[in-house]
Amino acid sequence: MADNKNKAPRGKKPVKFTLNISWLYILLFIGIAWMFFNQGGANPQKEEWAEVKEQWLAGDIKEVVFIRNEFEGRVTMKPDRIEKYADKFGNNIPAKSPHFIFLVSGSFNAEEMFGELNEQLPADEQVKVVIESQESWWSILEWLVFPILLIFMWVFMFRGMNRNMGGGSGGPGGIFNVGKAPGKLAEKDSIKVTFKDVAGLYGAKDEVMEIVDFLKNPTKYTALGGKIPKGALLVGPPGTGKTLLAKAVAGEANVPFFSISGSDFVEMFVGVGASRVRDLFRQAKEKSPCIVFIDEIDAVGRARSKNGGFSSNDERENTLNQLLTEMDGFGTNSGVIILAATNRADILDKALMRAGRFDRQIHVELPDLKEREEVFQVHLRGLKLAEDFDLEFLAKHTPGFSGADIANVCNEAALTAARHDKKAIDKQDFLDAVDRIIGGLERKSKIITPAEKKSIAHHEAGHATVSWLLPNANPLFKVTIVPRGQALGAAWYLPEERQLVTKDQMMDEMCSLIGGRVAEEIVNGQPSTGALNDLERLTRMAYGMVTYYGMSEKIGNISFYDSTGSRGYELTKPYSEKTAELIDKEVKDLIEMIHDRTEKILKDNFEGFTALAELLLEKEVIFADDLERIFGPRAGAPKGEVIPKDPEELAPEPELQTESTE
């Protein structure tokens, strides 16, 4: 019963005051403000005693306060006389007193001097005199407030660093044990992610399943003399599910899972990175069998510089050396497997990639059609969908989308449906979501002159006409002149999922890119700034054909592409100045040839091109069936191709032909 008396009543929680850094900032601000405003009033002007004497005898002074121990006098003027001395204050008369101060020597007799001056004035104009001594400790304390607050601030910052720095695996961190690995430890029972939560990624899942089997049944392999792989590197574009796959491995194997980012090893203090690597692997050995996952390993595993004095980072390289040592120092039966993820495998150090460290490279690619269906199924679990929702249609019309992109599409579709007060999410909501993610929000209120709108229509009609008439260009499905994002107009394509691209396909794509610029030249007689994005992509493709893919007859089958990144610090180009001039000439000739070819296509089909532009001006948005009515079936279209005839059958691809306003 005695214990119950000491307990707080139910429903009432004791008020707990917590002094955090915000309170310190408030106190610091108050201290600075107090010091600023508590300096004896308004900024008094210094005067000589002779000047004060003249003001005294003129009857302008109201009060004089003399500080005996500081030999300082503080003069307050009469309100009706202060205007006489405005020039001494820069015509900015202070609102507070004292107005003037004067200093005297130690032999100054204040009582006698002030009494003589007052005797010379009438009784009603005599100056009030106050003579006092001021304790010096107060002024000292006044100026100690600011340093004391700074000391308190430093102490709190130190405590914050002690709480937040280097506390790997839930252990106590601090500035003095900053070398502790900050990685997070997930115990085997807390990991709920399995391969069922990872949609698609068939090839990658098959490879990591072997790692799971290694952890579950190690004797199965060691009995035959085999060695368990020490590490696997997950390589792929951003958003493809590399981190999720690593978590699924730990969940399936039912082992502890250490996760840390590559940037967590990099610190401003020398030697911290190497210390954190040692601590991480020490913790992993204690928890074995386990998985250590290093995300974005390129932050610490970048290839070391060949020139130690130029563009080098000794701290990062020391961290990498320690990582190499730890990965190669495990015994064969340690039960610790290293998983790492990166989208820049080309810049990793070769020593990190060798067998014995990362024995395997697992490529996690963008999902194909079937895999996209599975990814959509995962992200659609919690959404209310319309009864006639077609999952296959959506997967077919989202090529090049990663898992993260698909998750974003699903969420945006839900928001779009909610914005229109719908009870369920239909196909159009998903199409609107894709449009918004790719091109941005429609800006129908943007002011565009009739002449500009006509020019935009001809520009987009040029893109559409050329891409429709060339057999190897990406199929076009939608053209709009409604401003969206930074684009004044756009053409949506649905590219084929190709693994290889031929020279003819690249040239047709280049003709489609420059179609808008050429259309402007034909109709308006001069180009505009609207083709900036088109020209940028065109130039990049032309240089790629000449310098990377060996598609130039004069240059030959030569590629200057550096896939290893070994030339990253070289100041010279891997070719001579003569070759550089030849490359520039080849690129220019190629683009001129593309320009002339595109111009011929548009002039030969000028009537259809003009009709398409007028239709765009009328409807603002047209679809593939409109082009089929004007030009006939699409060049190179497979037999039985279904041409979308309304917005609900349309889906754009992630790469847009956009016009820049620059």
Side-chain angles (χ1 to χ4, degrees):
M1 295 297 291
D3 294 338
N4 294 333
K5 291 180 180 179
N6 297 328
K7 293 182 180 179
R10 286 186 180 179
K12 294 183 179 180
K13 295 183 178 179
V15 179
K16 186 178 180 181
F17 179 79
T18 304
L19 185 63
N20 54 28
I21 196 70
S22 302
W23 285 102
L24 186 62
Y25 288 142
I26 293 172
L27 292 175
L28 185 63
F29 176 77
I30 294 173
I32 295 173
W34 178 75
M35 293 178 62
F36 182 79
F37 292 106
N38 195 42
Q39 299 301 317
N43 299 322
Q45 300 296 313
K46 288 187 178 181
E47 284 189 325
E48 298 294 332
W49 166 242
E51 295 177 289
V52 177
K53 197 173 177 181
E54 293 178 3
Q55 296 168 352
W56 195 309
L57 296 175
D60 299 335
I61 298 177
K62 178 183 178 181
E63 183 185 33
V64 173
V65 178
F66 186 74
I67 311 300
R68 192 188 300 275
N69 59 327
E70 295 183 2
F71 307 103
E72 179 185 282
R74 300 171 183 176
V75 181
T76 301
M77 309 300 290
K78 294 179 179 179
D80 57 340
R81 305 289 181 91
I82 189 65
E83 294 287 344
K84 292 171 58 177
Y85 308 97
D87 57 330
K88 293 190 176 185
F89 300 98
N91 295 321
N92 185 18
I93 299 174
K96 296 183 180 180
S97 62
H99 301 120
F100 298 101
I101 60 172
F102 63 93
L103 299 175
V104 295
S105 63
S107 60
F108 185 83
N109 191 333
E111 291 90 345
E112 182 181 349
M113 188 63 66
F114 297 159
E116 291 178 358
L117 292 174
N118 269 338
E119 289 178 358
Q120 303 179 40
L121 296 175
D124 57 341
E125 292 189 6
Q126 289 185 355
V127 179
K128 180 183 178 182
V129 176
V130 178
I131 300 176
E132 61 183 20
S133 296
Q134 193 175 72
E135 298 291 338
S136 59
W137 65 269
W138 176 251
S139 61
I140 295 174
L141 180 62
E142 183 178 341
W143 287 102
L144 281 178
V145 170
F146 187 66
I148 290 172
L149 287 174
L150 286 179
I151 292 172
F152 270 103
M153 184 176 176
W154 179 254
V155 170
F156 271 88
M157 289 177 63
F158 233 79
R159 291 181 63 184
M161 294 175 72
N162 273 338
R163 287 193 300 268
N164 301 322
M165 292 186 64
S169 306
I175 186 87
F176 297 109
N177 51 357
V178 68
K180 298 291 184 180
K184 298 179 180 179
L185 171 63
E187 296 290 350
K188 58 183 181 180
D189 296 330
S190 64
I191 303 174
K192 306 299 181 182
V193 181
T194 63
F195 286 139
K196 294 181 180 179
D197 302 306
V198 183
L201 306 179
Y202 297 123
K205 280 199 294 188
D206 290 341
E207 292 199 54
V208 296
M209 280 180 182
E210 292 187 3
I211 297 176
V212 173
D213 199 32
F214 292 150
L215 292 170
K216 285 185 174 181
N217 306 301
T219 56
K220 175 181 176 182
Y221 302 93
T222 57
L224 299 175
K227 297 179 180 179
I228 298 175
K230 295 181 179 179
L233 182 64
L234 304 176
V235 183
T240 51
K242 299 184 292 293
T243 304
L244 182 64
L245 192 60
K247 290 182 179 179
V249 172
E252 289 285 345
N254 196 26
V255 296
F257 181 77
F258 286 90
S259 62
I260 191 170
S261 174
S263 60
D264 290 337
F265 294 112
V266 183
E267 192 57 74
M268 62 179 289
F269 304 111
V270 177
V272 170
S275 177
R276 289 180 174 179
V277 171
R278 287 192 296 269
D279 185 69
L280 173 66
F281 281 79
R282 178 190 59 79
Q283 295 180 48
K285 288 180 181 179
E286 294 175 355
K287 295 286 186 177
S288 71
C290 68
I291 292 175
V292 176
F293 177 63
I294 305 175
D295 201 6
E296 306 295 342
I297 195 174
D298 50 276
V300 69
R302 188 184 296 266
R304 291 163 288 185
S305 173
K306 296 179 180 179
N307 188 346
F310 180 73
S311 297
S312 64
N313 187 332
D314 290 338
E315 174 60 16
R316 183 183 58 78
E317 292 186 2
N318 290 339
T319 306
L320 175 59
N321 291 335
Q322 186 64 44
L323 180 63
L324 296 175
T325 302
E326 293 290 342
M327 290 187 66
D328 202 27
F330 281 128
T332 56
N333 297 319
S334 64
V336 179
I337 292 181
I338 312 299
L339 294 181
T342 181
N343 52 14
R344 296 293 308 279
D346 56 311
I347 65 173
L348 293 181
D349 197 279
K350 291 182 178 179
L352 191 64
M353 306 290 289
R354 77 160 175 82
R357 292 192 175 106
F358 286 118
D359 301 283
R360 299 183 176 187
Q361 287 192 38
I362 301 173
H363 292 273
V364 184
E365 303 294 343
L366 292 171
D368 56 20
L369 176 61
K370 187 178 180 181
E371 291 174 338
R372 286 198 300 274
E373 287 188 29
E374 295 184 5
V375 176
F376 268 112
Q377 288 177 352
V378 171
H379 294 292
L380 293 175
R381 287 175 183 172
L383 302 182
K384 294 182 179 179
L385 304 176
E387 294 181 358
D388 59 343
F389 182 77
D390 189 357
L391 179 61
E392 184 181 359
F393 165 83
L394 195 59
K396 284 183 179 179
H397 293 80
T398 50
F401 278 50
S402 66
D405 295 331
I406 292 175
N408 194 20
V409 168
C410 294
N411 184 65
E412 192 65 38
L415 297 178
T416 302
R419 197 178 299 117
H420 293 89
D421 298 325
K422 295 183 178 179
K423 301 298 182 182
I425 310 170
D426 55 25
K427 184 176 14 181
Q428 189 59 45
D429 294 324
F430 280 93
L431 297 178
D432 293 341
V434 174
D435 283 358
R436 182 167 185 175
I437 291 172
I438 295 173
L441 190 64
E442 285 188 354
R443 298 185 299 164
K444 293 185 178 181
S445 59
K446 187 177 181 65
I447 300 175
I448 300 176
T449 63
E452 289 177 334
K453 189 174 183 180
K454 188 175 180 181
S455 179
I456 296 170
H458 284 105
H459 184 106
E460 298 302 332
H463 284 307
T465 301
V466 176
S467 63
W468 190 265
L469 297 174
L470 290 177
N472 296 309
N474 286 327
L476 184 140
F477 279 88
K478 176 183 176 181
V479 185
T480 177
I481 58 172
V482 177
R484 184 183 287 273
Q486 296 297 318
L488 300 177
W492 271 256
Y493 297 90
L494 188 63
E496 299 177 2
E497 298 184 53
R498 303 166 179 165
Q499 302 300 321
L500 297 173
V501 183
T502 65
K503 183 178 180 180
D504 288 343
Q505 290 170 340
M506 294 186 71
M507 293 184 69
D508 285 359
E509 284 297 315
M510 294 169 71
C511 289
S512 177
L513 282 173
I514 205 173
R517 164 58 66 91
V518 176
E520 292 180 10
E521 294 175 353
I522 294 175
V523 177
N524 302 328
Q526 59 181 353
S528 71
T529 60
L532 175 61
N533 180 260
D534 302 328
L535 295 178
E536 179 187 357
R537 295 168 58 193
L538 175 70
T539 305
R540 188 164 60 245
M541 289 183 67
Y543 271 101
M545 290 178 65
V546 175
T547 60
Y548 291 166
Y549 303 120
M551 295 182 179
S552 171
E553 294 182 359
K554 293 184 179 179
I555 301 297
N557 296 319
I558 297 176
S559 177
F560 300 108
Y561 179 68
D562 181 22
S563 61
T564 63
S566 58
R567 296 198 300 261
Y569 300 117
E570 293 184 7
L571 297 178
T572 58
K573 296 179 180 178
Y575 45 81
S576 64
E577 290 296 328
K578 186 177 180 181
T579 303
E581 293 178 0
L582 183 59
I583 290 173
D584 292 339
K585 187 177 184 304
E586 279 291 280
V587 170
K588 186 178 180 181
D589 292 343
L590 175 61
I591 293 177
E592 287 182 355
M593 186 268 290
I594 294 293
H595 179 279
D596 295 341
R597 182 188 178 196
T598 305
E599 186 177 22
K600 185 177 185 302
I601 293 173
L602 289 176
K603 287 184 176 180
D604 292 344
N605 298 273
F606 186 77
E607 184 178 347
F609 157 68
T610 306
L612 185 62
E614 292 176 354
L615 187 62
L616 261 175
L617 287 171
E618 178 185 349
K619 299 175 63 175
E620 292 190 337
V621 180
I622 61 175
F623 302 94
D625 65 316
D626 298 310
L627 277 82
E628 189 177 34
R629 284 196 298 270
I630 296 174
F631 298 107
R634 183 174 66 86
K639 293 183 179 179
E641 182 184 36
V642 179
I643 303 296
K645 299 180 179 180
D646 56 70
E648 295 186 356
E649 298 182 50
L650 172 70
E653 60 100 9
E655 192 172 16
L656 296 177
Q657 301 279 359
T658 60
E659 282 67 37
S660 173
T661 55
E662 299 180 15

